[in-house]
Amino acid sequence: GAGTVLPGSAQEFDNLIIQGQAQLQVPTNDVLTLVPTVLTLETNFGLTINGQLLCAGQPGGKFAQVQAVNGGTMTLGPGGQLACADLQVGSGGTFVLNATNVLTADQVEVLTSGTLLLNQAVSFPTLHVFTNGVVSYTVGQSNLNLTVTGDLTVDVGGSVLVDGLGYQGPGSGNGNGPGGGGGGVAGSYTAGGGGGYGGQGGEANNTQFGGASYGALTTPTNWGSSGGTGHDSWSGGYYIGGNGGGAMQLVVGGQLQVNGQITANGINGGTQGNGWYPGGGGAGGSIWITASNLAGTGSILANGGRSFSGSYGTGGGGSGGRIALYFTDNSFAGTVSAAGGWGAQYGGAGTVYS
């Protein structure tokens, strides 16, 4: 049933079916042992693992395959333990990792419409992100910190992204973060300035300032700052500045094949229907990649978000973020960009180091 907590400290079942928006929790220090070597979670499942989930009769309790599919969420938290030869996430399913040293998987496949949220540092032997698959983290969590000892492949249409997961746009006033753009408060008529990070944020046409640049060129780990809030005192409306891009560090022992996207973009500033006093664009975030071989024809982007041209005000564009690429061999023929976003004044260009 909904919200069911596993009774007792140790249970063994011949089968487990969680469906119809049901929720099952395995508490800390409890053990749930299942006989099937393949665990498939059904439509709209909810499974939270803070104890041990084991496969009966298998060395280390290791499943042959775990499938998180068909529209639900499987969460592995502190105290949890799950081991499998193959982890598949797809068809609207979401797998959330909330603790370190709790998941062991020989290969991980993020299939079409699957989402893998890595809220703690993790290492996998191989990772394949298929078309319309997404690897990211939950807003407000720490940076995406992923090590793949073998190959990481991102197919066309697949994404490893932290867009808008940096400093969030405020409800009023200046943007959040060290480079938050200038913003309006109650009683003001003003568009918002762009957030800064890899460069200076763009200034709004009513002189709200663009945020300052900060952070490291060669080892970027900071979030992008948000744009400032636009405010229209006549209507009392606030138009939130765009969120800054988040941050990721990818270490790949083999080949990083990017035919899809790796992105840490800032988000566009909010605007009224007629765009009178828009918010400023958010700054791009951080992408730090170390790989033996970088290949593919996709995109690696940390661009700033744009603002909009209004009848009475135009906000500033967010600055570009910071990208650092380290590799032994490079055959990548795609796009690498940390451009500033459009506005009354463009956000400043970010940095790309290799």
Side-chain angles (χ1 to χ4, degrees):
T4 298
V5 178
L6 181 71
S9 60
Q11 299 287 333
E12 180 171 332
F13 298 103
D14 292 335
N15 199 8
L16 175 66
I17 298 176
I18 306 172
Q19 60 185 2
Q21 301 184 11
Q23 305 287 320
L24 177 66
Q25 299 180 36
V26 182
T28 303
N29 299 322
D30 283 13
V31 180
L32 174 60
T33 303
L34 302 176
V35 173
T37 59
V38 176
L39 173 61
T40 301
L41 302 176
E42 299 290 340
T43 303
N44 296 322
F45 65 84
L47 176 61
T48 300
I49 306 168
N50 294 319
Q52 298 182 64
L53 182 59
L54 305 177
C55 185
Q58 301 301 311
K62 185 176 183 177
F63 291 89
Q65 189 175 72
V66 173
Q67 297 177 324
V69 296
N70 295 333
T73 300
M74 182 176 184
T75 303
L76 189 57
Q81 180 183 327
L82 177 65
C84 59
D86 182 25
L87 173 62
Q88 293 186 347
V89 187
S91 300
T94 301
F95 189 99
V96 184
L97 181 68
N98 281 337
T100 57
N101 301 318
V102 295
L103 174 64
T104 302
D106 296 338
Q107 72 173 13
V108 179
E109 298 174 293
V110 185
L111 306 176
T112 298
S113 300
T115 300
L116 177 63
L117 298 177
L118 302 177
N119 295 331
Q120 295 290 336
V122 67
S123 177
F124 299 129
T126 65
L127 173 61
H128 189 170
V129 185
F130 289 74
T131 300
N132 294 327
V134 174
V135 177
S136 187
Y137 63 84
T138 305
V139 64
Q141 299 297 317
S142 92
N143 301 348
L144 176 61
N145 193 329
L146 171 63
T147 298
V148 179
T149 55
D151 294 339
L152 168 55
T153 302
V154 184
D155 288 347
V156 173
S159 301
V160 179
L161 63 83
V162 293
D163 296 351
L165 296 180
Y167 290 103
Q168 302 295 288
S172 66
N174 296 344
N176 288 318
V185 296
S188 64
Y189 293 90
T190 181
Y197 172 38
Q200 182 83 15
E203 185 177 288
N205 71 340
N206 51 11
T207 72
Q208 285 289 1
F209 62 87
S213 64
Y214 56 97
L217 171 68
T218 59
T219 56
T221 58
N222 294 97
W223 292 350
S225 291
S226 66
T229 307
H231 184 256
D232 172 17
S233 188
W234 180 78
S235 68
Y238 289 95
Y239 309 106
I240 295 175
N243 302 334
M248 71 173 81
Q249 183 176 3
L250 306 179
V251 178
V252 182
Q255 178 168 280
L256 173 55
Q257 180 83 25
V258 185
N259 292 323
Q261 296 188 87
I262 295 178
T263 61
N265 294 322
I267 303 300
N268 297 337
T271 179
Q272 193 179 14
N274 58 12
W276 284 356
Y277 296 100
S286 293
I287 299 175
W288 179 5
I289 294 174
T290 303
S292 178
N293 180 24
L294 179 60
T297 57
S299 301
I300 301 173
L301 310 174
N303 294 331
R306 64 163 293 165
S307 187
F308 296 89
S309 179
S311 302
Y312 298 100
T314 302
S319 83
R322 295 189 185 275
I323 299 173
L325 304 175
Y326 297 87
F327 43 77
T328 303
D329 297 304
N330 180 22
S331 59
F332 183 69
T335 300
V336 180
S337 173
W342 184 93
Q345 182 182 47
Y346 274 87
T351 59
V352 176
Y353 178 86
S354 64

